[in-house]
Amino acid sequence: MAEEQKITEDRLKKIVEKLYMDMQRGEVPSIVLPTRTKENIQHNTDSNVWTYGDRESVRSFKTVKGAKNLLRMVYTIHFLTNEHLKKNRSSTLRELYYISEGWDLAKFSEQLESDRLIEDIEILTELQRERFHVRPEEDGASIFGPLELREHMRRGDRKIHCQDDVGEAGYPIPFNVDNLEFVSCDAKFVIAIETGGMYARLIENGFDEKFNALLVHLKGQPARSTRRLLKRLNEEMGIPVVVFTDGDPWSYRIYASIAYGAIKSAHLSEYMATPSAKFVGVQPEDIKKYELPSDRLTDQDIKALKSELTDPRFNTPYWRYQLKLQLELNRKAEQQAFAGKGLDYVTNTYLPERLTELGVL
Amino acid sequence: MAEEQKITEDRLKKIVEKLYMDMQRGEVPSIVLPTRTKENIQHNTDSNVWTYGDRESVRSFKTVKGAKNLLRMVYTIHFLTNEHLKKNRSSTLRELYYISEGWDLAKFSEQLESDRLIEDIEILTELQRERFHVRPEEDGASIFGPLELREHMRRGDRKIHCQDDVGEAGYPIPFNVDNLEFVSCDAKFVIAIETGGMYARLIENGFDEKFNALLVHLKGQPARSTRRLLKRLNEEMGIPVVVFTDGDPWSYRIYASIAYGAIKSAHLSEYMATPSAKFVGVQPEDIKKYELPSDRLTDQDIKALKSELTDPRFNTPYWRYQLKLQLELNRKAEQQAFAGKGLDYVTNTYLPERLTELGVL
């Protein structure tokens, strides 16, 4: 940990040194960053995830806006180094915004600015914000299943078995999952689940025990910590990850953010994405095959599906077929719709069938 | 537990028996329920909480709508008795809606109907829905502090210390907190906290250890399980509860729902409300006193404050003063705004001062 902290401190310092050296040389201090737009996202064939491309934008002291921005960066780096790293403290993104109250000219005028600045620092240091102890407001995703881990806490280490040492709600994932060490994992696969209702259903039905599965509750669009945890389980423990969501375009984006990365955090895709993650469903074809209770697509759904047909992440024969089929059927179905066939149907019939098809069982 | 289940089964059966007896006597089957509106909320001086008044509405077979409603109730009671209670299973409110797929005429046309029906059954049985194993979609609130509890799980009992046996995210509150038994509690008081950021701040700053406090993260408007847990801690362990939220009209409602009960669940106020719960802040007067970074009130804020001035739950000298002061100041402040004065200010200065004023420290 001490070595990691040294690296973080050095990289933060390097940003400020660059600005200082510019001034020493009599140049206008500036910083170069990749442009963070959809147009500048490209597939990295080596790592099989989506990252930023070559387009760049420059921040410099040439304009008042640019100068203010760099001034804030220097203040922020000073705070992160002296208050966070040296004292082993942390803050939320919201707190960081308030902390700038005493920074005079460098004060942020809204949280959007401080959030974005933290992203800039992530890109410049090539380190995720957890490394300099900045955390999100809420998390709340959780795990249940045959995994034993050690959590390095401020108050010492805790060894926790995510099936035997936890209550019915499971083990809540902390904001910095790099503080977790996997002690042992007997799971054959990880199943990441969109809704709390389905996560509780699988626990109640003993799915984790029967199929040796590690259940991860995503809580909708998964937080960075959840995606990072899935990536680490896949990479370090060598267990396959499957994703089980509702059958609508918004849920396919949940899958895509796990498998390929999200636009907002494309600079961290290699750190957070799990390209081998497989999509269990609900697939559009399942709506017909399993005669699921379903709803008509809304205009927003149709727009989202059409936008996915032009999204490079969904440009595969499988996804093109499913997305087109859904537009044709004009229906969507939720994962909890399986309850219409009885409380055991999803764990006794649907999931075993789909997991066999995917080669996981 | 077996005895409790017997009571639940008997009360469910009684509803159906009443309908059956009506028919036997040649009468039109009907059921009487209190009207669930703001106008029918009244203060119960015995228990000091807000409950439903005398206004009633009748459901009967006289209309097709009424007949369908009672048919659904009979189907639902059949399901709850045979699938949930006899087999020790549970479902989410969402699943329950889907389960009605096979009920032909009794099928719910939207979840609003099944949710409301479950509330009707709660009122008729005078039991909370957890007793017949119906759970909400998400929960996610959590505890951190000197409390040891035993959770009765489907898979046996678990003894968990909410400070020593959990990670940095704490112990997640399960949906049915009546499955929890308090083994021991060394806490001097419980502090219920609105935001995840402040909950994490108090843990990081060691507030639980220094002040012997049990921290409860509310996650915004608290779930029933969270309110029930606060009530039980207050009543069974005899420890005072204080509430720490943002300083805006929406947050005062969080406090009111904990202390006095919410309109939507007024039939369960005596079971869930903690009338002795005290409001720590952020108080409107704190904005001036502590010179907090603050924002101008929006039109919605002003409307909400004015509505609170006519809400019987806020009709006390204390609240009338604070609400009027806030309208005068035309400012609001978040609890994380204390970060503007340094990361320790809230735990070293603000909370000790306020808790001393409240007589808790």
Side-chain angles (χ1 to χ4, degrees):
Chain A
M1 294 304 264
E3 197 189 327
E4 281 202 349
Q5 179 161 335
K6 180 82 175 54
I7 294 170
T8 311
E9 280 185 23
D10 286 350
R11 294 208 191 159
L12 286 171
K13 209 171 141 194
K14 238 178 78 182
I15 302 171
V16 186
E17 273 174 356
K18 153 83 169 79
L19 295 173
Y20 182 79
M21 291 309 289
D22 282 345
M23 288 190 258
Q24 283 277 322
R25 281 192 301 263
E27 287 167 20
V28 177
S30 69
I31 270 169
V32 177
L33 283 159
T35 308
R36 299 215 281 292
T37 58
K38 207 194 223 173
E39 290 68 39
N40 197 29
I41 298 279
Q42 58 182 37
H43 188 252
N44 182 325
T45 42
D46 291 341
S47 56
N48 199 22
V49 297
W50 293 82
T51 54
Y52 290 122
D54 295 332
R55 299 197 203 178
E56 291 180 334
S57 48
V58 178
R59 310 266 158 85
S60 88
F61 272 55
K62 262 184 195 153
T63 64
V64 175
K65 199 182 152 209
K68 257 198 168 178
N69 193 293
L70 292 177
L71 181 67
R72 283 171 181 150
M73 187 175 283
V74 175
Y75 264 98
T76 304
I77 288 174
H78 181 263
F79 176 79
L80 296 177
T81 308
N82 289 284
E83 295 298 318
H84 276 190
L85 295 172
K86 292 217 195 310
K87 295 185 185 165
N88 191 21
R89 306 291 302 265
S90 58
S91 308
T92 62
L93 287 161
R94 188 79 188 142
E95 285 180 316
L96 197 69
Y97 158 70
Y98 281 119
I99 282 159
S100 77
E101 276 294 315
W103 294 356
D104 199 17
L105 269 178
K107 191 184 150 187
F108 297 110
S109 48
E110 49 171 346
Q111 195 188 331
L112 201 69
E113 287 175 2
S114 46
D115 286 0
R116 236 185 127 70
L117 191 106
I118 291 294
E119 280 173 29
D120 288 348
I121 298 178
E122 283 185 314
I123 294 171
L124 292 168
T125 57
E126 291 179 43
L127 292 172
Q128 63 282 17
R129 64 176 181 229
E130 289 79 3
R131 286 286 290 272
F132 31 88
H133 307 186
V134 174
R135 64 176 165 235
E137 186 50 31
E138 308 281 350
D139 32 32
S142 48
I143 321 180
F144 197 99
L147 168 71
E148 189 171 34
L149 49 82
R150 189 175 287 114
E151 182 175 335
H152 301 294
M153 286 174 73
R154 193 173 305 277
R155 304 181 190 192
D157 285 6
R158 296 283 157 78
K159 209 160 128 182
I160 296 169
H161 190 286
C162 299
Q163 214 169 28
D164 302 337
D165 300 334
V166 299
E168 232 156 40
Y171 167 78
I173 301 171
F175 92 94
N176 186 358
V177 296
D178 287 313
N179 283 337
L180 299 180
E181 188 190 318
F182 302 134
V183 178
S184 69
C185 183
D186 296 331
K188 228 186 132 190
F189 63 98
V190 181
I191 180 163
I193 303 152
E194 179 176 356
T195 66
M198 185 52 75
Y199 172 71
R201 166 66 43 228
L202 264 55
I203 294 174
E204 173 170 321
N205 291 10
F207 186 82
D208 54 311
E209 286 179 324
K210 194 167 166 197
F211 293 97
N212 234 349
L214 190 59
L215 317 178
V216 174
H217 176 201
L218 297 173
K219 287 224 159 186
Q221 191 63 46
R224 295 159 55 123
S225 52
T226 312
R227 285 183 282 148
R228 173 68 181 150
L229 184 83
L230 291 171
K231 163 84 169 178
R232 283 194 58 202
L233 284 165
N234 179 251
E235 206 169 71
E236 294 170 36
M237 309 305 280
I239 37 179
V241 170
V242 300
V243 182
F244 183 23
T245 68
D246 288 340
D248 63 47
W250 319 99
S251 297
Y252 310 148
R253 290 183 187 174
I254 290 179
Y255 165 73
S257 79
I258 291 172
Y260 312 119
I263 294 166
K264 224 187 108 54
S265 56
H267 56 293
L268 297 170
S269 283
E270 286 170 32
Y271 166 77
M272 293 198 295
T274 309
S276 66
K278 284 176 179 155
F279 184 66
V280 172
V282 178
Q283 311 176 102
E285 62 176 276
D286 296 336
I287 300 174
K288 268 173 83 178
K289 188 173 169 194
Y290 293 94
E291 292 171 332
L292 289 177
S294 62
D295 290 306
R296 183 184 290 273
L297 297 176
T298 64
D299 289 348
Q300 282 78 25
D301 293 334
I302 293 170
K303 223 175 123 188
L305 283 168
K306 284 185 178 161
S307 147
E308 280 165 16
L309 277 169
T310 65
D311 185 327
R313 298 178 302 173
F314 290 104
N315 190 12
T316 63
Y318 169 80
W319 277 110
R320 295 189 68 78
Y321 170 72
Q322 298 293 347
L323 296 171
K324 282 177 180 168
L325 178 65
Q326 184 148 34
L327 283 165
E328 215 176 282
L329 294 173
N330 198 22
R331 309 296 293 177
K332 59 181 175 179
E334 294 181 350
Q335 54 181 180
Q336 289 189 74
F338 288 106
K341 313 200 158 267
L343 298 180
D344 293 321
Y345 190 83
V346 68
T347 47
N348 286 355
T349 306
Y350 178 72
L351 284 176
E353 283 183 12
R354 279 291 294 142
L355 292 169
T356 305
E357 273 171 40
L358 291 173
V360 173
L361 286 190
Chain B
M1 295 302 264
E3 197 189 325
E4 281 202 348
Q5 179 160 334
K6 179 81 176 55
I7 295 170
T8 312
E9 279 184 26
D10 286 350
R11 296 210 190 157
L12 286 171
K13 211 172 140 193
K14 238 178 77 184
I15 302 171
V16 186
E17 271 174 358
K18 152 83 169 85
L19 296 173
Y20 181 80
M21 292 309 289
D22 283 346
M23 287 190 258
Q24 283 276 323
R25 282 192 299 263
E27 288 167 17
V28 177
S30 69
I31 270 170
V32 176
L33 284 158
T35 307
R36 300 216 280 293
T37 58
K38 209 193 220 172
E39 291 68 39
N40 196 29
I41 297 280
Q42 58 181 39
H43 188 252
N44 183 324
T45 41
D46 290 341
S47 56
N48 199 20
V49 297
W50 293 81
T51 55
Y52 290 123
D54 295 332
R55 299 197 204 179
E56 292 182 335
S57 48
V58 178
R59 310 269 157 85
S60 88
F61 272 55
K62 263 185 194 150
T63 63
V64 176
K65 201 184 152 208
K68 259 199 166 177
N69 193 293
L70 292 177
L71 181 68
R72 283 171 181 149
M73 187 176 283
V74 175
Y75 264 98
T76 304
I77 289 174
H78 180 263
F79 176 80
L80 296 176
T81 308
N82 288 284
E83 295 298 319
H84 275 188
L85 295 172
K86 292 217 195 309
K87 295 184 184 166
N88 191 21
R89 306 292 300 268
S90 58
S91 308
T92 62
L93 288 161
R94 189 80 188 140
E95 284 180 316
L96 197 70
Y97 158 71
Y98 281 120
I99 283 159
S100 77
E101 276 294 316
W103 294 356
D104 199 15
L105 269 178
K107 192 184 148 183
F108 297 110
S109 48
E110 49 170 346
Q111 195 188 330
L112 201 68
E113 288 175 1
S114 47
D115 286 1
R116 234 184 130 70
L117 191 105
I118 290 294
E119 280 174 28
D120 288 347
I121 298 178
E122 283 185 315
I123 294 171
L124 292 168
T125 56
E126 291 180 43
L127 293 171
Q128 63 282 18
R129 65 175 183 230
E130 288 79 4
R131 286 286 289 271
F132 31 88
H133 308 184
V134 174
R135 65 176 165 232
E137 186 51 32
E138 307 280 351
D139 31 33
S142 48
I143 321 180
F144 197 98
L147 168 70
E148 188 172 33
L149 50 81
R150 190 175 285 114
E151 182 175 335
H152 301 293
M153 285 174 75
R154 194 175 304 278
R155 305 182 188 190
D157 286 5
R158 298 282 157 77
K159 209 159 129 182
I160 296 169
H161 191 286
C162 300
Q163 212 169 31
D164 301 337
D165 301 334
V166 299
E168 231 154 42
Y171 167 77
I173 301 171
F175 91 95
N176 185 357
V177 295
D178 286 311
N179 283 337
L180 299 181
E181 189 189 316
F182 302 134
V183 178
S184 69
C185 183
D186 297 330
K188 226 184 135 191
F189 63 99
V190 181
I191 180 164
I193 303 150
E194 178 176 357
T195 65
M198 187 51 75
Y199 172 71
R201 165 66 44 228
L202 265 56
I203 295 175
E204 174 170 321
N205 291 10
F207 186 82
D208 55 310
E209 286 180 325
K210 194 166 168 198
F211 292 97
N212 235 349
L214 190 58
L215 317 179
V216 174
H217 175 201
L218 298 173
K219 284 221 159 191
Q221 189 64 45
R224 295 159 54 124
S225 52
T226 312
R227 285 183 281 148
R228 174 67 181 150
L229 184 82
L230 292 171
K231 163 83 169 178
R232 285 194 57 202
L233 284 165
N234 179 251
E235 206 168 71
E236 294 170 37
M237 310 306 281
I239 36 181
V241 170
V242 301
V243 182
F244 183 25
T245 68
D246 288 341
D248 63 48
W250 319 99
S251 297
Y252 310 149
R253 290 184 188 175
I254 290 178
Y255 165 72
S257 81
I258 291 172
Y260 311 118
I263 293 166
K264 223 186 108 55
S265 56
H267 57 294
L268 297 171
S269 282
E270 287 170 31
Y271 166 79
M272 293 197 295
T274 308
S276 66
K278 286 176 179 154
F279 184 66
V280 172
V282 177
Q283 309 176 105
E285 62 177 272
D286 296 337
I287 299 173
K288 267 174 82 179
K289 187 171 170 195
Y290 294 94
E291 293 172 332
L292 289 178
S294 62
D295 290 306
R296 183 183 289 274
L297 297 177
T298 65
D299 290 347
Q300 281 79 24
D301 293 333
I302 292 170
K303 223 176 121 187
L305 284 167
K306 286 186 176 161
S307 149
E308 281 165 15
L309 277 169
T310 66
D311 186 327
R313 298 178 301 173
F314 291 103
N315 190 12
T316 63
Y318 170 78
W319 277 110
R320 295 188 68 77
Y321 170 72
Q322 297 294 345
L323 296 172
K324 281 177 179 167
L325 178 64
Q326 183 147 37
L327 282 166
E328 214 176 283
L329 294 173
N330 197 21
R331 308 297 294 178
K332 58 182 175 180
E334 295 181 352
Q335 52 181 184
Q336 289 189 72
F338 288 106
K341 313 199 160 269
L343 297 181
D344 292 321
Y345 189 83
V346 70
T347 48
N348 286 355
T349 307
Y350 178 72
L351 285 176
E353 284 184 11
R354 278 292 293 142
L355 292 169
T356 305
E357 273 170 40
L358 291 173
V360 174
L361 284 192

